């Protein structure tokens, strides 16, 4: 029996901490544990709702593997681990009306100031987290690919859509050929069929992942089109099909998630691409001029 209080204190007690722990340990996990951990982060609702038998069948492991994963992460058993997913589901399934009620109950006397302060704090936390974790070499590699692309396809739905809307504006101003995959008449699948390996794509999606974004990104990857992904987990289906990907874990305030870190990244990419192309153009020898 494990009576080490410090070990128990280190066990993740919220979903974001659990997600970070799994990502940190995934490289050293036994194959089957890594398999079910990936399934858990990719299908958190299934873990929250399912039974041990149904989850094991869906993730193609033995029920005992779920218990082993729980113990590996420091939990007393699978039900203890499952409680983290159920708590996440409770938080994420609050309706917007319920979130507003929660705000009213917690804002105190100066509601407007506290609300504004809460969103600013979440935005600040998101940006600081990205600054601490983003890898500059990944950014450079992504910019190189995108700067070489004939056309850059932009894929995002629902909450992620503002990211591609901003990039459409930036690319237009910077004279970079692009195509936002967001047709009002439902021809998005046909639009991505025009992409070739000479092009590239930027795709953004966060849990719960938009099925259309995943399908379109996978289709492009299957056809040899480089995909630069912005997502929230190493186990994200979007990361799995990406040439390079950025992990952006946005903080939230009262259940309303920030987009501040993601927006900072998508503001930087178009400018970096334009600058890379400008420098390449300047380095080309002028025709008719002696070298």
């Amino acid at each position: 029996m494990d009576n080490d209080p410090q070990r128990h204190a280190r066990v993740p007690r919220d979903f974001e901490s659990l997600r970070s722990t799994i990502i940190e340990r995934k490289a050293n996990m036994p194959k089957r544990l890594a398999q079910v951990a990936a399934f858990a982060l990719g299908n958190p609702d299934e873990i929250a709702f399912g039974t041990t038998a149904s989850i094991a069948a869906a993730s193609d492991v033995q029920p005992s593997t779920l218990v082993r994963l729980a113990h590996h992460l420091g939990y007393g058993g699978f039900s203890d681990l499952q409680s983290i997913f159920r708590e996440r589901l409770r938080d994420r399934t609050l309706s917007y009306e319920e979130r507003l009620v929660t705000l009213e109950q917690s804002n105190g006397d100066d509601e407007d100031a506290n609300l504004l302060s809460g969103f600013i704090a979440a935005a600040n936390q998101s940006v600081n987290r990205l600054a601490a974790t983003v890898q500059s070499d990944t950014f450079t590699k992504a910019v190189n690919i995108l700067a070489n692309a004939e056309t850059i396809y932009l894929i995002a739905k629902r909450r992620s859509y503002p990211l591609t809307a901003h990039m459409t504006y930036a690319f237009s101003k910077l004279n970079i050929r692009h195509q936002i995959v967001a047709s009002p008449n439902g021809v998005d699948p046909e639009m991505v069929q025009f992409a070739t390996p000479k092009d590239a794509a930027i795709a953004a999606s966060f849990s719960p992942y938009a099925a259309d974004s995943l399908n379109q990104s996978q289709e492009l990857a299957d056809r040899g089109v480089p995909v630069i992904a912005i997502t929230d987990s190493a186990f994200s289906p979007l990361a799995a099909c990406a040439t390079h990907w950025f992990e952006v874990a946005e903080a939230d305030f009262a259940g309303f998630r920030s987009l501040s870190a993601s927006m900072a990244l998508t503001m930087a990419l178009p400018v970096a691409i334009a600058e890379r192309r400008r420098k390449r153009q300047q380095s080309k020898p002028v025709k008719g001029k002696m070298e």
Side-chain angles (χ1 to χ4, degrees):
M1 182 177 180
D2 187 357
N3 293 317
D4 181 1
Q6 291 185 347
R7 180 175 180 274
H8 285 288
R10 293 193 298 268
V11 175
R13 298 317 313 180
D14 62 82
F15 183 77
E16 287 303 317
S17 298
L18 173 60
R19 185 186 64 84
S20 298
T21 298
I22 290 175
I23 292 172
E24 288 172 4
R25 299 185 186 180
K26 68 167 188 168
N28 298 320
M29 281 186 183
K31 180 180 178 180
R32 286 299 185 186
L33 295 192
Q35 177 181 328
V36 74
F39 177 84
L41 292 190
N43 303 272
D45 292 356
E46 173 71 20
I47 303 298
F49 283 122
T51 64
T52 303
S54 68
I55 296 168
S59 56
D60 195 26
V61 298
Q62 295 296 319
S64 60
T65 307
L66 302 180
V67 179
R68 287 172 52 213
L69 175 64
H71 290 163
H72 181 81
L73 296 171
Y75 296 95
F78 180 68
S79 60
D80 191 16
L81 172 61
Q82 189 178 40
S83 68
I84 306 300
F85 289 85
R86 289 177 174 173
E87 184 67 18
R88 167 203 171 273
L89 187 64
R90 186 191 68 79
D91 292 340
R92 290 294 172 86
T93 54
L94 288 175
S95 68
Y96 276 81
E97 181 64 28
E98 289 171 324
R99 296 178 194 183
L100 292 175
V101 170
T102 300
L103 282 174
E104 291 175 1
Q105 294 173 344
S106 61
N107 270 338
D109 295 331
D110 196 344
E111 293 184 4
D112 291 339
N114 290 336
L115 188 150
L116 178 59
S117 177
F119 278 106
I120 291 174
N124 189 51
Q125 182 181 349
S126 298
V127 172
N128 287 340
R129 185 182 297 166
L130 177 64
T133 59
V134 70
Q135 297 180 345
S136 59
D137 61 332
T138 300
F139 185 80
T140 298
K141 291 174 182 176
V143 170
N144 285 338
I145 289 173
L146 295 166
N148 285 326
E150 291 184 354
T151 301
I152 299 174
Y153 287 78
L154 304 175
I155 299 172
K157 303 293 186 291
R158 300 203 301 260
R159 189 177 72 90
S160 305
Y161 178 78
L163 303 177
T164 50
H166 171 77
M167 284 191 286
T168 296
Y169 173 82
F171 283 142
S172 297
K173 290 294 186 180
L174 294 167
N175 296 317
I176 296 173
R177 185 187 298 172
H178 64 283
Q179 175 64 62
I180 185 169
V181 184
S183 60
N185 55 354
V187 295
D188 290 4
E190 288 78 9
M191 291 171 68
V192 299
Q193 290 179 5
F194 289 103
T196 74
K198 293 182 180 180
D199 302 317
I202 300 175
S205 190
F206 306 93
S207 178
Y209 307 105
D212 286 345
S213 295
L214 300 181
N215 292 337
Q216 290 157 14
S217 299
Q218 186 63 61
E219 180 183 344
L220 290 173
D222 290 344
R223 298 213 315 270
V225 179
V227 176
I228 306 302
I230 301 171
T231 190
D232 54 4
S233 168
F235 293 118
S236 162
L238 195 56
C241 68
T243 308
H244 299 292
W245 65 280
F246 298 95
E247 180 181 357
V248 183
E250 299 278 7
D252 72 88
F253 176 61
F256 295 93
R257 277 183 288 172
S258 171
L259 266 180
S260 301
S262 306
M263 188 61 76
L265 182 58
T266 54
M267 291 176 70
L269 280 170
V271 176
I273 294 164
E275 182 65 7
R276 185 66 48 80
R277 290 185 173 187
R278 186 183 70 84
K279 288 182 177 179
R280 287 178 181 173
Q281 188 64 34
Q282 289 177 343
S283 66
K284 291 180 179 179
V286 179
K287 290 184 178 180
K289 188 175 181 180
M290 294 294 293
E291 294 185 2

